[in-house]
Amino acid sequence: MLGPPYNHTTETPVTFFLVGIPGLQFSHLWLAISLSAMYTIALLGNTLIVTVIWMDSTLQEPMYCFLCLLATVDIVMASSVVPKMISIFSSGDSSISFNACFAQMYFVHAATAVETGLLLAMAVDRYVAICKPLQYKRILTPQVMLGMSVTIAIRAVIFMTPLSWMVSHLPFCGSNVVLHSYCEHIAVAKLACADPMPSSLYSLIGSSIIVGSDVAFIAASYNLILQAVFGLSSKNAQFKALSTCGSHVGVMALYYLPGMASIYVAWLGKDTVPLHTQVLLADLYLVIPPTLNPIIYGLRTKQIRERIGSLLMHCLFGHYILGSG
């Protein structure tokens, strides 16, 4: 899928070396400890959510199916980069093969494209559930959900495949030191002997279209949700709905803002924003959402919380009842 590397094999490096976070080498040990803790939370939390939803036949509504997909994508996204980051920060093992670098690039950027689509799908789900509750099951049928999921995946592949092909076919005849903590496409393209502008411009335009359209539709959905919430007579119901919406918007902000900031800073502020800040921004949006999503979207949901409690009781004492509670 990534395509063969540039034909001049003598000019293609066998291995790249990832610097980590340039200028913050003295903090690498603390970063390794922090990343290890966050990665453990992300793996445990998302795996629990996938397991509980998969095992429990009562959690088959669209919201839980999208949540299961989101948890799976979070595992893929974090696992694509965090283990290597920890290795760099803890032991200095910074080498990564040419093919592994481009595989990492493909999976991490494709996963981020899928994630933003799933966040939009979940916003639409909440809009239908709150604003059109009587038509919920008629609108979000299994066929519609499958169509949305396939469309999200195809969109990510259509966006990422040309970008990965363009970068992997650049001639690399100079330095093989990537000034980043993972194979971020702009950082890798900068090492090419040819002009990396086409791939960088494609990435900027594609990311802006995907994220811009998703954020616009998400904002519209939550605006309609808030209008419906403020029309409720119960103040308690208003508070619960606002609390849920607020936590969702907070997690989305932590995902979208660092991600888009890292892209635009690489273009517009590369001479004014320190390189370590640019790398940190790019790292944050890959690590923080997979860590927080299970808490915000999963543990704050009563049904998920109850099923996880039952599953843990089963693991400890052997009496888990599917669908109980």
Side-chain angles (χ1 to χ4, degrees), residues 46 49-50 53 63-77 111-112 114-120 122 251-252 255 289-290 292-294 296-298:
N46 287 297
I49 287 176
V50 172
I53 293 176
M63 177 182 72
Y64 301 116
C65 294
F66 287 133
L67 182 57
C68 184
L69 291 174
L70 182 68
T72 303
V73 171
D74 278 341
I75 292 173
V76 172
M77 186 165 69
T112 58
V114 171
E115 176 128 344
T116 181
L118 287 174
L119 291 176
L120 171 59
M122 293 172 73
V251 170
M252 289 180 189
Y255 176 73
L292 294 183
N293 282 346
I296 300 301
Y297 288 107

Side-chain angles (χ1 to χ4, degrees), residues 56-123:
D56 199 325
S57 60
T58 66
L59 300 178
Q60 301 303 315
E61 293 182 10
M63 177 182 72
Y64 301 116
C65 294
F66 287 133
L67 182 57
C68 184
L69 291 174
L70 182 68
T72 303
V73 171
D74 278 341
I75 292 173
V76 172
M77 186 165 69
S79 298
S80 297
V81 294
V82 176
K84 187 59 184 178
M85 286 184 188
I86 294 173
S87 177
I88 295 169
F89 296 151
S90 61
S91 65
D93 179 16
S94 61
S95 64
I96 184 170
S97 71
F98 184 88
N99 290 331
C101 182
F102 284 98
Q104 183 190 68
M105 181 191 302
Y106 188 93
F107 281 110
V108 69
H109 291 308
T112 58
V114 171
E115 176 128 344
T116 181
L118 287 174
L119 291 176
L120 171 59
M122 293 172 73

Side-chain angles (χ1 to χ4, degrees), residues 1-197:
M1 187 177 291
L2 297 179
Y6 186 73
N7 289 332
H8 294 127
T9 55
T10 57
E11 298 181 350
T12 300
V14 176
T15 303
F16 287 112
F17 293 93
L18 298 165
V19 169
I21 301 180
L24 291 184
Q25 282 81 357
F26 62 91
S27 300
H28 275 187
L29 181 58
W30 293 109
L31 288 169
I33 294 172
S34 300
L35 279 175
S36 297
M38 296 173 71
Y39 185 52
T40 301
I41 293 171
L43 279 184
L44 290 177
N46 287 297
T47 301
L48 268 176
I49 287 176
V50 172
T51 302
V52 166
I53 293 176
W54 185 265
M55 290 177 60
D56 199 325
S57 60
T58 66
L59 300 178
Q60 301 303 315
E61 293 182 10
M63 177 182 72
Y64 301 116
C65 294
F66 287 133
L67 182 57
C68 184
L69 291 174
L70 182 68
T72 303
V73 171
D74 278 341
I75 292 173
V76 172
M77 186 165 69
S79 298
S80 297
V81 294
V82 176
K84 187 59 184 178
M85 286 184 188
I86 294 173
S87 177
I88 295 169
F89 296 151
S90 61
S91 65
D93 179 16
S94 61
S95 64
I96 184 170
S97 71
F98 184 88
N99 290 331
C101 182
F102 284 98
Q104 183 190 68
M105 181 191 302
Y106 188 93
F107 281 110
V108 69
H109 291 308
T112 58
V114 171
E115 176 128 344
T116 181
L118 287 174
L119 291 176
L120 171 59
M122 293 172 73
V124 171
D125 170 80
R126 290 300 83 202
Y127 160 72
V128 177
I130 293 174
C131 299
K132 300 180 182 296
L134 298 180
Q135 304 175 52
Y136 182 76
K137 291 186 177 180
R138 186 171 62 83
I139 294 175
L140 291 179
T141 62
Q143 292 77 12
V144 170
M145 290 171 51
L146 178 62
M148 292 171 69
S149 302
V150 170
T151 301
I152 290 168
I154 290 175
R155 185 184 69 167
V157 171
I158 290 174
F159 165 67
M160 195 55 215
T161 300
L163 176 60
S164 185
W165 185 90
M166 284 189 285
V167 179
S168 65
H169 281 68
L170 289 170
F172 295 93
C173 54
S175 172
N176 61 347
V177 177
V178 182
L179 298 177
H180 216 289
S181 52
Y182 66 93
C183 287
E184 195 270 339
H185 69 277
I186 295 178
V188 174
K190 286 179 179 178
L191 302 180
C193 302
D195 183 11
M197 180 63 73

